[in-house]
Amino acid sequence: MKTFYNKEYDRLEIYFDKNKKVNSEYWEGVWEEDLVLSKLNYKKNTYVSKITKKYLHSNSKVLEAGCGLGQFVYSLKKNNFASYGIDYANKTVKLINKNFPELNVKYGDVENIPFEKNFFDGVWSIGLIEHFYYDNEKFLSEASRVIKNGGYFFLSFPNISLLNRLKIYFKNYKIVNSKKNPDIKNFYQFKLNDKLLIDKLNNYNLECLKKIKSDGLKGLKDEIALTHNFFSFIYNSNNIFCNILEKAINLIVSPFSNHVILLILKKNEKKT
C-alpha cells in the first residue's frame, strides 16, 4: 500500500501497489466461503449491538448498509432489534441467505437503498464511505432518506488522526491533487477529515452527537515503520496476553493514533 496526502481535500489517499480494483469481486475474495460459514464469526454481543442499545429500544428497525458477512446484522437480531442488511457482493449475500436464512440480508446498492422513506430507526455504516473515490453524496442522501426523524446514523470510517497530522506537518507523505494523482484503478480508500464530513452531514439534517476514536494500535502499526513488526505481532495474535495488551494499548493511544472514528448522528426534522 502507498499513502499520499491530498491537500486540496485534506485527506489521505491509499493505493494498492499493484493493479487492483475495490469492487464486489474484490470483497468476495476477501470474504472466503469458510469465513462466511464459520459460526465463530457471529457473536451475540458486539460493539455495534452495545452502542445501538444506548440509543434505540428493542424492536427498532436497524439497517447495516454494506453489511459484508452480516455478523453485525446477526448481533443486532440476537439483541432483539429488527435488523436488516444490504450489500452489493452478490455471492456473499447468497451464502448468508443459504446458511443464515433467519437474517434479513439482501443484495442492494447503498446509493439506491431499496426501502421507503423514514423506514429505519437507525442505520449503521462501517468501513464503507472511505471507498467512494468520486462522490459519497448519493450514499449520505440515501442514508438520511431512510432514517426516521429522531433516528440515528452510526457512521464509522478511517479518519486523519493526530499522528497523521504530525506526519503531514513533517511532510512524510507525498502530495497529490485532483489534477495529478496516482492511477485511480489502484485506489483502495481514504482517511477523511471528520470535521469536513460532519459539515457535509449537516446538509442532510444529520447532527453529530458524539465521536468515538478507536483502533489506535493499528494506527501505530501502519504509520510507524520502526515498531511495525512489534505492533503487528500484537495486533494479529490470538494469544490471551496479547489480546489484553492490545486492549490496554488501544485505550491509551486511540485519542492520538486512532485508525477509525465512529460518528453518532441524529436526524432532525428538515428546517423550513
Side-chain angles (χ1 to χ4, degrees):
M1 296 283 194
K2 295 179 180 179
T3 303
F4 303 87
Y5 176 58
N6 189 317
K7 189 174 182 180
E8 181 182 4
Y9 293 103
D10 192 26
R11 68 192 181 197
L12 293 176
E13 301 185 0
I14 301 171
Y15 294 80
F16 290 112
D17 291 322
K18 296 180 181 180
N19 188 19
K20 288 185 181 180
K21 187 176 181 180
V22 179
N23 53 21
S24 60
E25 288 77 17
Y26 169 80
W27 290 116
E28 286 168 346
V30 172
W31 301 321
E32 297 289 344
E33 182 172 346
D34 59 343
L35 184 62
V36 175
L37 302 181
S38 174
K39 292 281 186 180
L40 296 175
N41 296 294
Y42 294 79
K43 300 176 181 178
K44 177 180 178 180
N45 295 312
T46 62
Y47 79 96
V48 168
S49 61
K50 290 175 183 176
I51 290 173
T52 306
K53 285 192 284 188
K54 292 180 180 180
Y55 293 90
L56 295 173
H57 56 75
S58 59
N59 297 318
S60 295
K61 294 178 182 177
V62 184
L63 170 71
E64 185 184 1
C67 65
L69 297 172
Q71 67 267 41
F72 296 126
V73 179
Y74 175 90
S75 172
L76 288 166
K77 181 177 177 61
K78 290 297 181 181
N79 280 274
N80 300 314
F81 292 102
S83 61
Y84 299 73
I86 62 169
D87 202 281
Y88 78 149
N90 200 26
K91 180 181 175 182
T92 302
V93 169
K94 288 179 179 179
L95 284 168
I96 295 171
N97 293 158
K98 178 181 177 180
N99 293 280
F100 297 91
E102 72 276 16
L103 297 184
N104 196 336
V105 174
K106 64 169 66 176
Y107 174 78
D109 183 358
V110 298
E111 294 185 326
N112 187 22
I113 297 175
F115 291 93
E116 63 188 33
K117 183 179 180 181
N118 301 325
F119 187 83
F120 294 105
D121 299 288
V123 171
W124 272 91
S125 171
I126 304 167
L128 173 67
I129 195 171
E130 66 271 19
H131 298 295
F132 291 105
Y133 186 87
Y134 289 106
D135 178 29
N136 54 37
E137 301 276 356
K138 291 180 181 178
F139 167 57
L140 297 179
S141 176
E142 278 293 276
S144 178
R145 180 184 67 81
V146 298
I147 299 172
K148 298 176 182 177
N149 289 331
Y152 294 89
F153 187 27
F154 306 94
L155 179 61
S156 178
F157 58 93
N159 74 309
I160 297 179
S161 67
L162 292 175
L163 175 58
N164 293 137
R165 287 290 177 202
L166 197 61
K167 293 184 68 174
I168 290 169
Y169 178 79
F170 286 106
K171 299 181 179 178
N172 291 155
Y173 303 113
K174 184 178 177 180
I175 303 294
V176 294
N177 57 54
S178 57
K179 294 180 181 179
K180 185 179 180 181
N181 57 357
D183 192 342
I184 295 174
K185 290 186 295 184
N186 296 339
F187 172 72
Y188 176 56
Q189 69 177 23
F190 295 129
K191 294 195 78 174
L192 299 166
N193 180 324
D194 53 280
K195 293 180 180 178
L196 293 179
L197 185 56
I198 288 171
D199 288 341
K200 181 184 287 187
L201 288 159
N202 287 335
N203 296 329
Y204 299 99
N205 307 309
L206 294 163
E207 177 189 4
C208 185
L209 304 180
K210 189 174 183 179
K211 299 180 183 181
I212 302 174
K213 297 179 179 181
S214 62
D215 218 357
L217 177 61
K218 179 170 173 54
L220 292 177
K221 174 181 74 70
D222 291 348
E223 297 294 341
I224 302 179
L226 186 65
T227 55
H228 174 79
N229 290 338
F230 173 68
F231 287 131
S232 291
F233 175 77
I234 297 172
Y235 185 80
N236 296 316
S237 176
N238 291 320
N239 179 275
I240 295 177
F241 173 75
C242 287
N243 291 341
I244 294 172
L245 184 59
E246 179 180 357
K247 290 181 180 179
I249 292 172
N250 277 328
L251 188 64
I252 295 168
V253 305
S254 286
F256 171 69
S257 63
N258 64 297
H259 174 65
V260 296
I261 191 168
L262 170 63
L263 304 182
I264 299 174
L265 306 115
K266 185 174 184 178
K267 183 180 175 182
N268 299 315
E269 289 189 30
K270 188 174 182 179
K271 296 179 181 179
T272 57

